[in-house]
Amino acid sequence: SKCRRLSVEENLARFQQMKEATEYGQTCCLRAKISIDNNNKAMRDPTIYRCKPERHHRTGNVWKIYPLYDFACPIVDSIEGVTHALRSSEYRDRNPQYQWFFTALDLRPVQIMDFSRMNFAYTLLSKRKLQWFVDEGRVPGWDDPRFPTVRGIKRRGMTIEALRQYVLMQGASQRDMLLDWDKIWATNKKVIDPKAPRHTALVKHGLVPTTIDGPTEAYLGSVLRHKKVAEMGTKNTVFSSQIFIGQDDACELEVGEELTLMDWGNAIVEKIEGKEPVTGLQLRLNLAGDVKSTKKKLTWLGQHPTVHPVEALLLDYDYLITKKKVDAEEDVRDYLTPVTKFEEPAIVDANVGELPVGTIIQLERKGYYIIDQVAATSQVGAVELIKIPDGKAASMAIKHTGEASVKSAASSAGNPWDKKKKGKAAAKPANALGLLSPSESSSMYEVKPVYGDIDLESASSVTSMYSTGKIY
C-alpha cells in the first residue's frame, strides 16, 4: 500500500477525519501494520477500523467508525476474562492474527480451541442464503420450522435437552462433517416420549360414522394420559354408541373380524356400508375379548351432546432443497423443493383444545406433534399441530419426488448420462405380461463380440441344462 510509510502524525490526522466521517475520511480505513508478503494472507496488513456513518441501533449517531470483527474479538475476549476461545475451523487461517493482537496491545492471551462446523444434509447454514428465502417470501421468518435456526427447530419440536445431548455425543471434531438429521431427531424422541401425553386424531376427509351395539347413552370416562407414566394424570374420553373411525382403517376391515378400539376394548364388525369409500360401519362390543389376540388396533373419537372433537390442522414439512450438499460454486435456486409444506385437516379429542402453544403430544398411531397455534389465534380457526420427526427413515425421507425447479430441469439438457432420445416414443412391451425385454429396459450388461464376427453355437444347441418352460 502506498500509505504504508505514512508518518504517525499523518495517520492520526486521517484517523480523526474517519472519526468525524468527513468526505475524505470515509475513503480511508485503518490497517494493522503486520506484513505485506506473509504466506498467510490474513496477516497482510489486515483492516481493523472503517467508517460506517449509519445510525447504530444502540449508540445512535455518537460514533462514525467501528472496529472489524477480527480486531474486536481478541480485545473483548481478553478483557472479559475468556480463557478458551472456541472457534470453528474456517477461522483457522486467522488464528495467528488473533494471537498477534495480544502481543501488540499487551493483553492477556486467550487459548484457541477450534473445531469443524456441523453441516447437515439437505440443509443450508449460510445466513446469507437463508436470508434469501426470507426476502423471497419462501418462508415467513427466521423461526420457520424448515429453517436450521434454533428458533426454527424448537418450533418444530426440538428440545434444548436433546440439542445438548447431541452436541456432547458428537464432540468437538476437527473433521468436516456432513451429518444426517436422523440421529438428532432420534435423540429428541427419547427425551419427549416419557413426557408427551397421548391423544387421538382422525383425518377429516372420509370420516366413517360408526354405530356400536353397546352403551345406551354417551358418557365421559377417565383414561391415563400416558399408559407408562401414571403420574401424568388422566384425560376425559367420550364413550358412546356413535363414534368416528378413519377412512383408511375402515377400508381394511371385513365383516366378522374382531378388532380393538384403543382405550376401550374389542369389537366385532357386523356390517360395512359402501366400499372405498366406506360410508358406515356397525360394530358389536366384545369387552371380554383379548386385546392381545387382535391384529388391528384402531383409534376412534366418540360423539357426545356437549363434548365435541376439536378442529385441527396437521402440518408437516419437507427439506428446502433437494440436494444433500450444495457446493459453493452451485446455485441454490437449481435445487429448490417446489412444495415444502403439507396440511391435512383433522379432528382431535376435546382435551387437545385446552393445551397451550408449545405443548408436545403424541397423536396415537400418527406420531409426535407440537401445538403451534391454538384455535383462538389460528387464521383457519383450528388447532395447528406441527409433526415432530422421530428419526425413522420414513419421517426423514424427502417427500418431494419430482424436479427440483424449472431451472434445474432445464439445466439437465445435454447431460451425457441422460440416454433418452428426444422425439422418440417410449418402448412398448412386446410380451404377454407387458414387460420390457432386456434390450429395451437396459443395456447395462450388453457385451460386444470379442472374437470378431464368428458364428457361435447358441446356448440352446449346446445344452438344455438351464432350460425353463413358460410358467405363465
Side-chain angles (χ1 to χ4, degrees):
S1 170
K2 62 181 180 180
C3 301
R4 199 169 193 272
R5 299 185 183 278
L6 292 177
S7 65
V8 173
E9 292 74 21
E10 178 62 22
N11 279 326
L12 289 174
R14 294 189 181 189
F15 190 61
Q16 182 62 35
Q17 294 209 47
M18 288 177 61
K19 291 170 66 176
E20 297 171 1
T22 64
E23 184 177 351
Y24 176 74
Q26 292 185 48
T27 66
C28 302
C29 68
L30 179 65
R31 293 177 177 273
K33 194 173 183 179
I34 301 177
S35 170
I36 59 171
D37 56 1
N38 196 298
N39 290 333
N40 183 349
K41 293 182 180 180
M43 298 295 286
R44 294 182 183 178
D45 293 354
T47 302
I48 60 174
Y49 256 103
R50 86 291 195 220
C51 281
K52 193 171 178 62
E54 289 86 355
R55 179 179 177 82
H56 191 273
H57 66 285
R58 286 185 179 175
T59 59
N61 296 315
V62 175
W63 298 100
K64 304 293 190 298
I65 58 171
Y66 292 92
L68 270 71
Y69 180 85
D70 287 337
F71 180 54
C73 274
I75 297 175
V76 172
D77 289 349
S78 181
I79 292 175
E80 293 188 349
V82 174
T83 58
H84 294 76
L86 307 181
R87 291 157 59 103
S88 51
S89 56
E90 60 259 36
Y91 291 103
R92 189 167 292 168
D93 289 344
R94 298 179 122 71
N95 288 351
Q97 181 194 114
Y98 182 91
Q99 299 290 355
W100 184 88
F101 285 115
F102 294 134
T103 303
L105 301 175
D106 194 23
L107 293 172
R108 177 187 60 84
V110 177
Q111 184 176 340
I112 294 176
M113 296 182 66
D114 53 13
F115 56 91
S116 65
R117 188 172 67 178
M118 290 183 185
N119 296 300
F120 287 90
Y122 305 106
T123 304
L124 299 170
L125 295 178
S126 164
K127 290 187 289 292
R128 176 176 54 84
K129 293 177 180 177
L130 292 175
Q131 183 68 54
W132 180 85
F133 282 87
V134 178
D135 294 341
E136 292 292 314
R138 291 182 173 269
V139 297
W142 286 86
D143 64 342
D144 188 86
R146 290 161 287 193
F147 261 20
T149 57
V150 173
R151 290 167 61 195
I153 58 177
K154 275 190 66 180
R155 187 177 168 194
R156 201 173 182 180
M158 178 65 67
T159 61
I160 297 300
E161 183 180 347
L163 273 175
R164 185 181 294 110
Q165 289 183 16
Y166 181 78
V167 171
L168 291 175
M169 279 193 298
Q170 292 297 323
S173 173
Q174 297 286 331
R175 296 172 53 192
D176 291 333
M177 298 179 290
L178 182 64
L179 304 170
D180 289 316
W181 282 96
D182 54 355
K183 193 171 182 180
I184 188 171
W185 284 115
T187 302
N188 189 62
K189 177 189 173 182
K190 292 179 181 178
V191 172
I192 65 177
D193 180 71
K195 304 175 183 178
R198 273 46 174 170
H199 291 276
T200 302
L202 298 176
V203 174
K204 196 172 181 180
H205 177 71
L207 277 176
V208 181
T210 302
T211 300
I212 296 182
D213 179 13
T216 56
E217 293 184 1
Y219 65 93
L220 292 176
S222 294
V223 176
L224 287 175
R225 292 181 179 271
H226 195 305
K227 296 177 181 64
K228 296 182 180 178
V229 187
E231 296 79 11
M232 200 173 288
T234 60
K235 61 183 177 181
N236 290 327
T237 299
V238 175
F239 295 89
S240 169
S241 59
Q242 301 296 320
I243 67 171
F244 288 116
I245 287 179
Q247 180 66 222
D248 290 344
D249 287 338
C251 287
E252 296 181 357
L253 298 178
E254 298 177 357
V255 174
E257 182 179 9
E258 187 170 7
L259 54 89
T260 297
L261 297 173
M262 296 178 65
D263 291 330
W264 195 347
N266 286 6
I268 298 173
V269 181
E270 296 285 334
K271 184 180 179 181
I272 300 177
E273 299 174 6
K275 185 177 182 180
E276 296 184 4
V278 175
T279 57
L281 288 173
Q282 288 187 14
L283 306 179
R284 175 170 52 85
L285 274 182
N286 180 30
L287 299 182
D290 184 5
V291 295
K292 295 181 180 179
S293 65
T294 59
K295 293 182 179 179
K296 296 172 182 174
K297 283 33 176 192
L298 307 188
T299 48
W300 54 277
L301 287 172
Q303 301 182 53
H304 190 276
T306 58
V307 181
H308 306 289
V310 175
E311 296 278 340
L313 188 64
L314 306 183
L315 303 172
D316 198 5
Y317 295 93
D318 201 356
Y319 301 103
L320 289 171
I321 56 176
T322 59
K323 189 177 181 184
K324 268 198 167 186
K325 181 181 180 182
V326 179
D327 295 326
E329 66 276 5
E330 293 181 311
D331 192 338
V332 173
R333 293 173 296 177
D334 287 340
Y335 306 103
L336 298 179
T337 308
V339 180
T340 57
K341 184 177 181 179
F342 304 90
E343 301 177 349
E344 194 168 41
I347 57 173
V348 295
D349 64 77
N351 303 281
V352 177
E354 301 172 356
L355 300 176
V357 171
T359 303
I360 293 176
I361 64 175
Q362 185 189 59
L363 296 179
E364 294 193 284
R365 299 178 62 222
K366 289 189 177 297
Y368 299 92
Y369 285 80
I370 182 170
I371 297 179
D372 188 56
Q373 292 285 341
V374 295
T377 58
S378 170
Q379 293 182 352
V380 296
V383 178
E384 297 182 29
L385 300 103
I386 296 175
K387 186 167 188 179
I388 305 174
D390 57 10
K392 294 181 180 179
S395 69
M396 305 311 303
I398 295 179
K399 299 171 181 64
H400 174 71
T401 56
E403 291 288 348
S405 65
V406 175
K407 186 176 179 181
S408 177
S411 66
S412 66
N415 187 339
W417 301 106
D418 188 358
K419 297 184 179 181
K420 295 179 180 178
K421 304 293 183 181
K422 290 186 177 180
K424 189 174 181 180
K428 294 182 178 180
N431 51 45
L433 291 178
L435 302 174
L436 294 172
S437 65
S439 61
E440 292 170 325
S441 61
S442 173
S443 59
M444 181 177 177
Y445 298 106
E446 182 180 354
V447 180
K448 302 296 183 182
V450 294
Y451 296 111
D453 297 329
I454 301 175
D455 292 330
L456 300 175
E457 291 181 288
S458 65
S460 60
S461 63
V462 176
T463 177
S464 60
M465 179 176 176
Y466 298 106
S467 177
T468 303
K470 295 182 178 179
I471 59 176
Y472 298 106

